[in-house]
mmCIF file of all heavy atoms in Angstrom:
data_model
loop_
_atom_site.group_PDB
_atom_site.id
_atom_site.type_symbol
_atom_site.label_atom_id
_atom_site.label_comp_id
_atom_site.label_asym_id
_atom_site.label_seq_id
_atom_site.Cartn_x
_atom_site.Cartn_y
_atom_site.Cartn_z
ATOM 1 N N THR A 57 6.468 -60.715 -79.725
ATOM 2 C CA THR A 57 7.031 -59.928 -80.711
ATOM 3 C C THR A 57 8.496 -59.603 -80.675
ATOM 4 O O THR A 57 9.086 -59.712 -79.656
ATOM 5 C CB THR A 57 6.173 -58.600 -80.586
ATOM 6 O OG1 THR A 57 6.508 -57.870 -79.308
ATOM 7 C CG2 THR A 57 4.796 -58.660 -80.756
ATOM 8 N N ASN A 58 8.967 -59.307 -81.845
ATOM 9 C CA ASN A 58 10.429 -58.920 -82.058
ATOM 10 C C ASN A 58 10.522 -57.882 -83.044
ATOM 11 O O ASN A 58 9.688 -57.913 -83.957
ATOM 12 C CB ASN A 58 11.277 -60.128 -82.351
ATOM 13 C CG ASN A 58 11.606 -61.054 -81.249
ATOM 14 O OD1 ASN A 58 12.361 -60.823 -80.473
ATOM 15 N ND2 ASN A 58 10.878 -62.282 -81.318
ATOM 16 N N TYR A 59 11.404 -56.954 -82.834
ATOM 17 C CA TYR A 59 11.589 -55.836 -83.720
ATOM 18 C C TYR A 59 12.984 -55.605 -84.223
ATOM 19 O O TYR A 59 13.969 -55.740 -83.385
ATOM 20 C CB TYR A 59 11.085 -54.520 -83.074
ATOM 21 C CG TYR A 59 9.699 -54.567 -82.618
ATOM 22 C CD1 TYR A 59 9.257 -54.973 -81.403
ATOM 23 C CD2 TYR A 59 8.556 -54.164 -83.470
ATOM 24 C CE1 TYR A 59 7.922 -55.054 -80.964
ATOM 25 C CE2 TYR A 59 7.351 -54.155 -83.135
ATOM 26 C CZ TYR A 59 7.006 -54.675 -81.892
ATOM 27 O OH TYR A 59 5.532 -54.716 -81.434
ATOM 28 N N ALA A 60 13.115 -55.084 -85.435
ATOM 29 C CA ALA A 60 14.375 -54.657 -85.855
ATOM 30 C C ALA A 60 14.777 -53.435 -85.075
ATOM 31 O O ALA A 60 13.973 -52.662 -84.633
ATOM 32 C CB ALA A 60 14.331 -54.373 -87.314
ATOM 33 N N ASP A 61 16.116 -53.344 -84.806
ATOM 34 C CA ASP A 61 16.598 -52.112 -84.067
ATOM 35 C C ASP A 61 16.089 -50.795 -84.605
ATOM 36 O O ASP A 61 15.889 -49.902 -83.845
ATOM 37 C CB ASP A 61 18.135 -52.159 -83.967
ATOM 38 C CG ASP A 61 18.620 -53.319 -83.014
ATOM 39 O OD1 ASP A 61 17.805 -53.895 -82.261
ATOM 40 O OD2 ASP A 61 19.818 -53.713 -83.131
ATOM 41 N N PHE A 62 15.941 -50.711 -85.872
ATOM 42 C CA PHE A 62 15.670 -49.354 -86.511
ATOM 43 C C PHE A 62 14.268 -48.996 -86.307
ATOM 44 O O PHE A 62 13.840 -47.820 -86.607
ATOM 45 C CB PHE A 62 16.096 -49.350 -87.922
ATOM 46 C CG PHE A 62 15.568 -50.506 -88.814
ATOM 47 C CD1 PHE A 62 14.302 -50.408 -89.278
ATOM 48 C CD2 PHE A 62 16.325 -51.614 -89.144
ATOM 49 C CE1 PHE A 62 13.820 -51.529 -90.069
ATOM 50 C CE2 PHE A 62 15.956 -52.569 -89.861
ATOM 51 C CZ PHE A 62 14.622 -52.553 -90.340
ATOM 52 N N VAL A 63 13.365 -49.910 -85.804
ATOM 53 C CA VAL A 63 11.961 -49.493 -85.674
ATOM 54 C C VAL A 63 11.573 -49.799 -84.101
ATOM 55 O O VAL A 63 10.457 -49.370 -83.778
ATOM 56 C CB VAL A 63 11.020 -50.307 -86.487
ATOM 57 C CG1 VAL A 63 11.338 -50.029 -87.872
ATOM 58 C CG2 VAL A 63 11.019 -51.759 -86.191
ATOM 59 N N LYS A 64 12.485 -50.209 -83.295
ATOM 60 C CA LYS A 64 12.151 -50.493 -81.948
ATOM 61 C C LYS A 64 11.691 -49.242 -81.136
ATOM 62 O O LYS A 64 12.332 -48.228 -81.383
ATOM 63 C CB LYS A 64 13.295 -51.181 -81.248
ATOM 64 C CG LYS A 64 12.976 -51.742 -79.866
ATOM 65 C CD LYS A 64 14.137 -52.729 -79.407
ATOM 66 C CE LYS A 64 14.336 -53.884 -80.297
ATOM 67 N NZ LYS A 64 15.377 -54.841 -79.896
ATOM 68 N N ASP A 65 10.640 -49.325 -80.382
ATOM 69 C CA ASP A 65 10.089 -48.210 -79.758
ATOM 70 C C ASP A 65 9.330 -47.276 -80.540
ATOM 71 O O ASP A 65 8.795 -46.300 -79.984
ATOM 72 C CB ASP A 65 11.178 -47.441 -78.962
ATOM 73 C CG ASP A 65 11.981 -48.195 -77.975
ATOM 74 O OD1 ASP A 65 11.272 -49.148 -77.296
ATOM 75 O OD2 ASP A 65 13.148 -48.104 -77.779
ATOM 76 N N ARG A 66 9.259 -47.461 -81.847
ATOM 77 C CA ARG A 66 8.447 -46.721 -82.718
ATOM 78 C C ARG A 66 7.250 -47.507 -83.360
ATOM 79 O O ARG A 66 6.151 -46.888 -83.586
ATOM 80 C CB ARG A 66 9.249 -46.066 -83.748
ATOM 81 C CG ARG A 66 10.317 -45.047 -83.360
ATOM 82 C CD ARG A 66 11.042 -44.411 -84.478
ATOM 83 N NE ARG A 66 11.583 -45.350 -85.421
ATOM 84 C CZ ARG A 66 11.409 -45.373 -86.715
ATOM 85 N NH1 ARG A 66 10.441 -44.502 -87.197
ATOM 86 N NH2 ARG A 66 12.092 -46.247 -87.522
ATOM 87 N N PHE A 67 7.482 -48.633 -83.664
ATOM 88 C CA PHE A 67 6.522 -49.492 -84.298
ATOM 89 C C PHE A 67 5.919 -50.584 -83.452
ATOM 90 O O PHE A 67 6.757 -51.011 -82.513
ATOM 91 C CB PHE A 67 7.115 -50.228 -85.591
ATOM 92 C CG PHE A 67 7.449 -49.373 -86.709
ATOM 93 C CD1 PHE A 67 7.435 -47.940 -86.640
ATOM 94 C CD2 PHE A 67 7.973 -49.903 -87.927
ATOM 95 C CE1 PHE A 67 7.832 -47.119 -87.706
ATOM 96 C CE2 PHE A 67 8.224 -49.096 -88.986
ATOM 97 C CZ PHE A 67 8.224 -47.758 -88.838
ATOM 98 N N THR A 68 4.762 -50.978 -83.652
ATOM 99 C CA THR A 68 4.050 -52.020 -82.873
ATOM 100 C C THR A 68 3.435 -52.989 -83.805
ATOM 101 O O THR A 68 2.566 -52.579 -84.536
ATOM 102 C CB THR A 68 3.198 -51.535 -81.860
ATOM 103 O OG1 THR A 68 3.810 -50.663 -80.914
ATOM 104 C CG2 THR A 68 2.512 -52.683 -80.976
ATOM 105 N N ILE A 69 3.769 -54.246 -83.712
ATOM 106 C CA ILE A 69 3.096 -55.360 -84.529
ATOM 107 C C ILE A 69 2.058 -56.015 -83.655
ATOM 108 O O ILE A 69 2.190 -56.228 -82.487
ATOM 109 C CB ILE A 69 4.195 -56.357 -85.064
ATOM 110 C CG1 ILE A 69 3.480 -57.334 -86.114
ATOM 111 C CG2 ILE A 69 4.824 -57.098 -83.865
ATOM 112 C CD1 ILE A 69 4.447 -58.317 -86.833
#
Side-chain angles (χ1 to χ4, degrees):
T57 59
N58 283 286
Y59 299 91
D61 287 341
F62 52 81
V63 303
K64 194 167 294 183
D65 300 322
R66 298 190 297 124
F67 292 9
T68 302
I69 187 172

